[in-house]
Amino acid sequence: MKICVLPGDGIGPEIMAEAVRVLQALDLGFEMEEALLGGAAVDATGKPYPEATSKLAREADAVLLGAVGGPKWDAMPREQRPERGLLAIRKELGLFANLRPAILYPELANASTLKPEVVAGLDILIVRELTGDIYFGQPRGIEVRDGQRYGFNTMHYTESEIRRIGRVAFEAARKRNKRLCSVDKMNVLETTQLWRDVMTELAPEYPDVELSHMLVDNAAMQLVRAPKQFDVMVTGNMFGDILSDEASMLTGSIGMLPSASLDENNKGLYEPSHGSAPDIAGKGVANPLATILSAAMMLRYTFGKEEAASRVENAVKAVLAQGYRTGDIYEPGTKKVGTREMGDAVLAAL
Ligand code: NAD
């Protein structure tokens, strides 16, 4: 039970420290080893995903990641940008399935910009394909053609890539409310016509799950109009990138949302949905709960420790009920705490 711990940049090291304390408190005998990723790795080695990190990540059973990136590295050549490290580790580990829950805890209903009655009790899971689509398709580039600059990318999916992400989504829906909405743009893009066809072909294998289809523009609209209509949504890499951020913002508290990226054997990379928050880095005010909840997802999906995962999730619910809030979710009448105190409160609740 080896965990590769990658604190990363910005608030990454602060929030990771709290997640590691929670894992240690569970006393399950995990071996945890730290390595560099992102800007911190560029500073130390010149590369965002150094060989030592790659080796540790390949050896470990799971990877727990804080966040990468920041203004310091934005002007660097593309190969040295921290985000390249993230794409590289996902690709190398074959992490093709990204699971992002968007849950609105009742205590935080006012944090959403939507009316409480629209979002209270929201519990959606977005399953995003992570290693294909236009983000990785070749050819790509910017060239001069006919005397002007020309930018191009290529969208493609094979039916086996669609089928394996489809299976993850159907299985996830099976464990929840048994409704799956597949999102595409089949009226314009042939790649996503194939997506819809393959999802439809899979459906008879999961007779207990109700499959529906929605065009991505409508899905973006429905997510803000009536988000509780959804249970599990499945979509490709680019649409999933956008829709999962939209869904997480419905909750108004990006500092609360975990994510999991899995390979075919449930090895996974677990990270908060938010970025490295350079604006508050080093101040000890970041919300560590998304990272702690990511560790809970790791316990469940990679290590099969459902009871420990629930213990951590219940401890988070308990600290919210006790009124503890970091700045991002603070409301008058609650107790404002920093990163470390929030970690202390979770440990006490555990
Ligand atoms: P961000 O998520 O880092 O921050 C957006 C806003 O949310 C900021 O105001 C920030 O202070 C706040 N916020 C985020 N997480 C928080 C937390 N845990 N507690 C309290 N407040 C929190 O997004 P951004 O500002 O667009 O990006 C900053 C950097 O992070 C960029 O370099 C970007 O490339 C990178 N990024 C990394 C990842 C990743 O590592 N997976 C994801 C997104 C962005």
Side-chain angles (χ1 to χ4, degrees):
M1 297 207 299
K2 185 163 179 173
I3 303 170
C4 165
V5 176
L6 305 174
D9 309 317
I11 59 170
E14 300 164 52
I15 53 182
M16 184 58 76
E18 302 314 311
V20 167
R21 285 208 296 154
V22 167
L23 287 171
Q24 283 165 343
L26 291 170
D27 202 16
L28 294 169
F30 290 117
E31 186 190 328
M32 290 187 249
E33 202 174 318
E34 253 188 43
L36 297 168
L37 184 78
V42 171
D43 287 351
T45 70
K47 291 182 188 159
Y49 184 46
E51 181 48 36
T53 305
S54 157
K55 183 168 179 287
L56 180 63
R58 279 181 277 125
E59 280 168 10
D61 300 297
V63 178
L64 191 59
L65 168 67
V68 300
K72 183 177 171 192
W73 303 282
D74 280 349
M76 293 215 159
R78 204 159 272 281
E79 318 71 62
Q80 288 191 349
R81 298 241 186 104
E83 294 75 9
R84 274 289 153 128
L86 204 52
L87 292 178
I89 191 171
R90 284 176 183 165
K91 188 83 186 167
E92 182 175 69
L93 297 182
L95 305 171
F96 69 93
N98 183 230
L99 276 57
R100 268 171 73 165
I103 296 174
L104 190 67
Y105 295 89
E107 292 88 356
L108 303 181
N110 288 327
S112 175
T113 50
L114 298 190
K115 295 190 192 104
E117 63 266 30
V118 176
V119 287
L122 181 76
D123 183 355
I124 316 179
L125 178 69
I126 301 211
V127 178
R128 165 188 170 194
E129 202 289 328
L130 212 52
T131 53
D133 205 349
I134 195 163
Y135 285 8
F136 291 97
Q138 294 288 349
R140 63 193 297 157
I142 303 172
E143 292 174 359
V144 176
R145 291 189 190 176
D146 299 329
Q148 63 170 333
R149 282 175 297 164
Y150 172 86
F152 55 102
N153 290 88
T154 307
M155 174 182 261
H156 59 67
Y157 267 120
T158 62
E159 61 176 313
S160 53
E161 283 175 313
I162 302 171
R163 205 171 290 119
R164 70 177 182 175
I165 190 73
R167 288 193 196 286
V168 170
F170 273 105
E171 294 288 346
R174 195 165 245 186
K175 293 189 194 121
R176 294 171 43 105
N177 291 321
K178 301 185 170 47
R179 284 183 297 115
L180 175 62
C181 179
S182 170
V183 176
D184 61 44
K185 186 73 181 171
M186 56 77 82
N187 52 345
V188 180
L189 298 169
E190 287 79 359
T191 308
T192 74
Q193 173 67 59
L194 178 66
W195 179 280
R196 185 176 290 211
D197 293 347
V198 173
M199 289 295 164
T200 305
E201 288 157 19
L202 273 179
E205 292 179 39
Y206 303 88
D208 50 331
V209 176
E210 181 197 321
L211 173 69
S212 61
H213 303 277
M214 197 177 274
L215 296 174
V216 64
D217 41 347
N218 187 25
M221 189 176 76
Q222 295 299 332
L223 267 177
V224 283
R225 195 187 71 83
K228 284 192 271 183
Q229 70 184 284
F230 297 111
D231 176 21
V232 179
M233 298 174 93
V234 63
T235 190
N237 203 346
M238 179 166 61
F239 298 160
D241 189 3
I242 300 164
L243 292 181
S244 58
D245 261 26
E246 187 189 0
S248 61
M249 284 318 295
L250 294 175
T251 70
S253 39
I254 192 147
M256 296 294 306
L257 298 172
S259 79
S261 305
L262 306 176
D263 76 358
E264 285 176 77
N265 305 308
N266 289 336
K267 173 168 177 166
L269 182 145
Y270 299 85
E271 58 180 323
S273 297
H274 58 73
S276 58
D279 52 332
I280 55 167
K283 297 187 179 154
V285 298
N287 186 346
L289 294 179
T291 314
I292 291 170
L293 291 168
S294 300
M297 287 186 91
M298 176 180 76
L299 294 169
R300 173 173 296 120
Y301 288 104
T302 290
F303 296 110
K305 298 198 175 293
E306 176 60 40
E307 194 193 323
S310 299
R311 264 186 79 196
V312 174
E313 288 162 354
N314 288 335
V316 168
K317 284 184 194 145
V319 301
L320 293 176
Q322 287 158 13
Y324 292 103
R325 302 284 188 274
T326 42
D328 56 315
I329 50 173
Y330 174 76
E331 279 181 85
T334 60
K335 285 174 244 172
K336 194 171 195 171
V337 294
T339 312
R340 176 46 59 117
E341 293 137 286
M342 188 57 111
D344 287 340
V346 173
L347 287 175
L350 263 186

